[in-house]
């Protein structure tokens, strides 16, 4: 049992708060840490420290700013096992998945190291007689990141490295469910010798996040969470005249055609739906299968569900860890029951009452109604709901009927079908014979619809655009 700390103005701070939240080890159900709720005073201290560093940091050449990131990348690579173990302990995902998350975080730091190239402006000579015009990029100001529990290292690295490489101070509000990974990340940042105030870590709950968003000196907000929360964050930030990118929930469909490599498609679908215990915004929680191969697909996915080994993510051989909390497990169990009451067939029932931990086994529902509760709700658990359609056109209708627009994937051996799907699917991330269409760090994470609120997405070239503002200079020298 320990109390996690804030990191403000280059120093670790123990917050003496009357209000704390418990951090659970989801594999045992034991409390392992406490999170203080930072109030407006603590938020003000962090923003004040960021403001104090802004001028010096902006004037630091970009080529010097990214040297800190080069060193951070090496530290992350040296600490992969410690970071992965910390993620597994407080989140529950299996160690291999945690290692993959660390690698994704490193990829984003690596991408941010190239920021000096992307900061280059545009120049046009003689736009009129004797007049030249240029567009330059400058830092936007103090930036805030509010991140979820499911990827406690990767998602902060969608924002923090790019923000500081562009010359902005950055304040991270970590998830209160997985705060220890953020603390470990900031121990590495602390060792870099960054100027005090350039990076800060503030712990708390929704009230802490609201205080950060509302602070008049904060200029940009990056958020990942549920759709209702993303919508509220975007509206709150926009009403204060701030730039915002708010990624929400998802309901991702995996479409399987008759000419797909069926066993491979079933394997990819199982990993997409059950990996990370289904707790990711790119989980393939819905499979839309053409009638001709639906029975065979259901049988193949059910086999993967039944043979998945459940247990602590630290135990070798385990490939399905617990959910984040008892309430999350109960919510998903209730949604499964609601699907059955609507007529879905429970092929594999993963609901297994246990005395310890927050475990839910891989679950398969067949004959799910696309417009029903399972077909439209982001379950955020290790459940796959299977719907049946006549053909590709019917499958695309199911995909496009969703209010979400994060990801959809197609499994086929036909290039014409793949092109039609890519062209017509109303989602921001498309996979072809891929179970999780996760963009690499060099591309933006392009959610659509109720999966994203804003204009510029996380990482890739959008990151530099989001964390800078453009200035146009028109010059004449008589």
């Amino acid at each position: 049992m320990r109390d996690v700390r804030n990191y403000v103005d280059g120093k670790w701070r123990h917050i003496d708060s009357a209000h704390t939240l418990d951090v659970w080890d989801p594999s045992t159900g034991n409390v392992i840490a406490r999170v203080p709720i930072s109030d407006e005073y603590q938020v003000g201290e962090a923003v004040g420290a960021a403001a104090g560093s802004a001028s010096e940091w902006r004037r630091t050449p970009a080529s010097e700013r990214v040297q800190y990131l080069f060193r951070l990348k090496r530290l992350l690579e040296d600490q992969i096992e410690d970071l992965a173990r910390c993620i597994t302990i407080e989140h529950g995902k299996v160690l291999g998945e945690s290692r993959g998350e660390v690698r994704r975080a490193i990829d984003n730091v690596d991408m941010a190291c190239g920021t000096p190239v992307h900061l280059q402006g545009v120049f046009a000579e003689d736009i009129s007689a004797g007049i030249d015009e240029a567009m330059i990029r400058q830092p936007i100001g103090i930036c805030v990141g509010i991140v979820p529990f499911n990827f406690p290292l990767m998602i902060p690295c969608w924002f923090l490295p790019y923000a500081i490489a562009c010359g902005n101070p950055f304040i991270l509000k970590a998830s209160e469910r997985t705060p220890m990974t953020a603390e470990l990340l900031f121990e590495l940042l602390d060792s870099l010798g960054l100027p005090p105030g350039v990076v800060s870590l503030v712990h708390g709950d929704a009230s802490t996040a609201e205080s950060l968003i509302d602070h008049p000196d904060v200029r940009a907000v990056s958020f990942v969470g549920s759709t209702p929360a993303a919508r509220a964050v975007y509206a709150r930030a926009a009403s204060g005249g701030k730039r915002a990118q708010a990624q929400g929930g998802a309901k991702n469909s995996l479409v399987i055609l008759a000419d797909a490599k069926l066993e491979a498609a079933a394997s990819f679908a199982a990993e997409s739906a059950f990996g990370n215990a289904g707790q990711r915004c790119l989980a393939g929680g819905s499979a839309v299968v053409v009638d001709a191969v639906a029975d065979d697909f259901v049988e193949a996915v059910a086999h993967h569900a039944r043979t998945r080994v459940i247990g602590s993510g630290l135990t070798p051989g385990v490939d399905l860890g617990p959910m984040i909390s008892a309430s999350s497990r109960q919510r998903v169990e209730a949604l499964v029951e609601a699907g059955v009451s609507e007529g879905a067939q429970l092929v594999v029932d993963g609901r297994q009452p246990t005395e310890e931990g927050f475990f839910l086994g891989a679950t398969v529902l067949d004959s799910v109604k696309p417009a029903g509760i399972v077909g439209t709700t982001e379950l955020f658990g290790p459940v796959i709901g299977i719907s049946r359609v006549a053909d590709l056109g019917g499958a695309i209708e199911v995909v496009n009927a969703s209010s979400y627009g994060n990801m959809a994937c197609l499994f086929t051996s036909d290039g014409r079908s793949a092109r039609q799907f890519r062209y017509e699917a109303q989602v921001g991330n498309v996979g072809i014979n891929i179970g999780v269409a996760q963009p690499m760090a060099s591309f933006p994470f392009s959610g659509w619809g109720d999966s994203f609120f804003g204009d510029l997405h996380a990482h890739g070239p959008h990151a530099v655009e989001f964390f800078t503002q453009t200035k146009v200079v028109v010059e004449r020298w008589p």
Side-chain angles (χ1 to χ4, degrees), residues 123-133 473-477:
F123 182 85
E125 193 175 52
D126 287 326
I127 56 139
S128 188
I131 299 176
D132 304 330
E133 188 166 353
V473 181
V474 184
E475 294 182 313
R476 172 193 284 143
W477 295 95

Side-chain angles (χ1 to χ4, degrees), residues 136-349:
I136 59 177
R137 291 191 174 275
Q138 295 183 339
I140 192 168
I142 298 171
C143 302
V144 166
I146 302 166
V147 299
F149 72 87
N150 56 333
F151 289 95
L153 181 67
M154 179 186 75
I155 293 180
C157 289
W158 282 2
F159 308 122
L160 184 153
Y162 301 98
I164 66 173
C166 289
N168 306 286
F170 186 87
I171 302 170
L172 177 68
K173 189 275 176 191
S175 169
E176 60 271 29
R177 293 181 174 183
T178 52
M180 297 188 300
T181 302
E183 191 177 56
L184 189 52
L185 169 63
F186 270 75
E187 287 178 358
L188 300 182
L189 288 165
D190 181 52
S191 71
L192 298 177
L194 283 159
V198 171
V199 293
S200 299
L201 173 63
V202 175
H203 292 290
D205 59 6
S207 66
T208 308
E210 290 170 354
S211 295
L212 284 164
I213 296 168
D214 291 345
H215 198 288
D217 291 341
V218 169
R219 300 308 310 147
V221 178
S222 302
F223 175 84
V224 179
S226 70
T227 288
R231 184 182 285 111
V233 165
Y234 184 70
R236 193 176 193 117
S239 69
K242 305 171 194 297
R243 184 174 292 182
Q245 50 183 185
Q247 183 171 305
K251 188 64 179 178
N252 307 303
S253 293
L254 311 178
V255 176
I256 293 87
L257 300 187
D259 59 5
K261 304 293 186 183
L262 200 62
E263 179 50 45
S267 178
F268 284 129
E271 178 56 35
S272 181
F274 308 142
N276 214 56
Q279 299 171 123
R280 56 186 175 194
C281 62
L282 289 178
S286 292
V288 184
V289 191
V290 297
D291 292 324
V293 293
D295 289 342
D296 291 339
F297 178 81
V298 170
E299 182 179 346
V301 169
H303 170 74
H304 285 286
R306 293 189 184 102
T307 55
R308 219 158 181 90
V309 180
I310 305 170
S312 166
L314 297 175
T315 302
V318 166
D319 49 23
L320 178 57
M323 298 194 63
I324 190 64
S325 67
S327 61
S328 293
R329 181 185 64 189
Q330 291 161 4
R331 171 185 169 276
V332 176
E333 289 173 339
L335 287 166
V336 169
E337 190 61 37
V340 173
S341 69
E342 289 183 338
Q345 178 186 352
L346 190 57
V347 180
V348 180
D349 189 353

Side-chain angles (χ1 to χ4, degrees), residues 150-151 154-155 158 223-227 230 246-254 272 278-285 378 380 398-409 421-422 425-431 435-439 444-453 457-459:
N150 56 333
F151 289 95
M154 179 186 75
I155 293 180
W158 282 2
F223 175 84
V224 179
S226 70
T227 288
Q247 183 171 305
K251 188 64 179 178
N252 307 303
S253 293
L254 311 178
S272 181
Q279 299 171 123
R280 56 186 175 194
C281 62
L282 289 178
E378 182 181 31
F380 226 61
V398 172
V399 171
N400 292 347
S402 174
S403 62
Y404 298 107
N406 212 37
M407 180 191 81
C409 299
F421 185 79
R422 182 192 71 194
Q426 297 298 304
V427 297
N429 300 296
V430 172
V436 179
Q438 167 84 44
F445 194 111
S446 298
W448 287 12
D450 283 352
S451 293
F452 181 75
F453 300 90
H457 297 81
H459 58 73

Side-chain angles (χ1 to χ4, degrees), residues 57 61-79 103 105-118 157 160-162 164-165 188-189 191-194:
W57 188 241
S63 58
E64 294 181 21
R65 294 196 296 256
V66 298
Q67 296 307 311
Y68 294 98
L69 296 179
F70 280 113
R71 296 201 294 274
L72 176 61
K73 179 189 174 186
R74 288 195 296 270
L75 290 174
L76 290 169
E77 289 173 336
D78 291 342
Q79 300 293 324
R103 178 49 59 188
I106 293 171
D107 289 345
N108 277 279
V109 175
D110 194 20
M111 176 67 185
C113 287
T115 297
V117 173
H118 300 288
C157 289
L160 184 153
Y162 301 98
I164 66 173
L188 300 182
L189 288 165
S191 71
L192 298 177
L194 283 159

